[in-house]
Amino acid sequence: MGNLSRRSFLKMGAIGAGAGASLAFANTKVSKEESMIDPNEGVKRVKTICSICSAGCGIIAEVKDGVWIRQDVAQDHPISAGSHCCKGVDQIDLVKSKMRLKYPLKREGGQWKRISYEQAINEISEKMLKMREKYGPDSMMFLGSAKMNSQQAYYWRKFAAFYGTNNIDHVARI
């Protein structure tokens, strides 16, 4: 800041603060119609849980017209006790992301093409059966997820066993 003295800096700071305060209070008139609009009208608060991991922290989702618009922590939740981790705070952005996959895609000719769930399941199962036939069941590895609850993990383990392998692990180790 070259030749700026302490006194000049404080004068400029005081002028800036005064201008900011003046602008903050300028034109604060609100019409009667505007003051009667309730931004929370039609908003429903729904208790749910975060699905990032298996901890199941509490979330209060604010929903308007079927769309999740805001979230808050569940103060009375027995696990999270009114807090979130940094991933849970971002849960709403994961749900509303434009990058989120909403249907199966298949790459054909260098382009992603939308396919049906039935086609996706059929093609994946055919490839899995061919791999098992050609390389044996231990050529496949099944990775669980932190999002699975105990029952889902049980069924995932059973699926691996029916496939014929004991190669199952949890993604937290990777």
Side-chain angles (χ1 to χ4, degrees), residues 44-75:
K44 194 165 110 178
R45 293 176 56 88
V46 180
K47 283 187 175 185
T48 186
I49 61 169
C50 176
S51 63
I52 296 291
C53 74
S54 60
C57 296
I59 292 176
I60 305 292
E62 294 185 11
V63 180
K64 185 171 186 174
D65 299 326
V67 177
W68 187 359
I69 57 170
R70 281 186 299 272
Q71 77 179 40
D72 197 4
V73 295
Q75 297 292 337

Side-chain angles (χ1 to χ4, degrees), residues 2-20:
N3 298 335
L4 186 63
S5 69
R6 180 175 178 265
R7 180 181 219 89
S8 297
F9 175 77
L10 291 173
K11 283 181 186 178
M12 287 175 35
I15 291 169

Side-chain angles (χ1 to χ4, degrees), residues 4-5 16 18 32 34 36-39 43 51 58 63-64 68 85 95 99 111 128 135 144 151 156 161 171:
L4 186 63
S5 69
K32 188 174 183 179
E34 288 176 326
M36 297 179 78
I37 295 173
D38 183 3
V43 173
S51 63
V63 180
K64 185 171 186 174
W68 187 359
C85 69
V95 171
M99 299 298 292
Q111 298 293 319
M128 288 177 68
Y135 303 108
Q151 292 78 14
W156 189 241
V171 293

Side-chain angles (χ1 to χ4, degrees), residues 103-106 113-128:
Y103 42 81
L105 298 173
K106 180 180 180 182
K113 176 186 159 192
R114 184 176 178 169
I115 62 174
S116 69
Y117 281 96
E118 185 176 354
Q119 180 183 349
I121 290 169
N122 288 337
E123 288 185 21
I124 292 168
S125 61
E126 284 174 23
K127 288 181 182 182
M128 288 177 68

Side-chain angles (χ1 to χ4, degrees), residues 94-111:
L94 293 174
V95 171
K96 296 177 85 161
S97 172
K98 291 182 182 0
M99 299 298 292
R100 180 179 177 210
L101 290 179
K102 297 178 182 168
Y103 42 81
L105 298 173
K106 180 180 180 182
R107 194 171 196 153
E108 290 181 353
Q111 298 293 319

